[in-house]
Amino acid sequence: MSKADSLVIIYLCTISVVTVVFTVYDKLAAKLDMWRIPENYLMSLGFFGGALAEYIVMRLIRHKTQHKKFMLGLPFMIILHLVVLIVYLFL
């Protein structure tokens, strides 16, 4: 494994953890009527690599599952990420 591969893995793990933390916080904030994370920010975290983690957590904690923006957008981003990963690995 090259150094670049290690950095990609570290990045994906980090963005996934950050995305999960923000998603869980937003769910708690919704219940407690506190300041919320803007939807565009959550979508951006998904776009930049946290889509799989965000989708799984949203389904588990039943957060924003009625929003088509998330339930269609995140799976699309996951597919996009898989394509990019496959291209990265084989080219």
Side-chain angles (χ1 to χ4, degrees), residues 19-86:
T19 302
V20 167
V21 168
F22 276 83
T23 303
V24 171
Y25 170 83
D26 192 56
K27 172 69 174 193
L28 294 173
K31 284 185 169 187
L32 300 174
D33 197 31
M34 296 169 47
W35 179 82
R36 304 279 307 276
I37 306 293
E39 287 186 354
N40 287 337
Y41 192 78
L42 291 172
M43 289 298 286
S44 295
L45 287 170
F47 179 78
F48 288 111
L52 180 61
E54 186 172 9
Y55 184 77
I56 291 169
V57 168
M58 284 184 168
R59 299 295 291 210
L60 287 173
I61 66 175
R62 296 184 181 142
H63 186 53
K64 298 197 180 287
T65 57
Q66 300 299 312
H67 295 233
K68 288 183 181 181
K69 178 180 187 176
F70 287 95
M71 293 300 107
L72 297 175
L74 291 174
F76 176 77
M77 289 181 210
I78 293 167
I79 292 168
L80 177 66
H81 294 158
L82 288 173
V83 169
V84 169
L85 187 61
I86 289 168

Side-chain angles (χ1 to χ4, degrees), residues 5-18:
D5 293 342
S6 298
L7 291 175
V8 168
I9 291 169
I10 290 168
Y11 171 78
L12 290 175
C13 290
T14 303
I15 193 71
S16 294
V17 168
V18 169

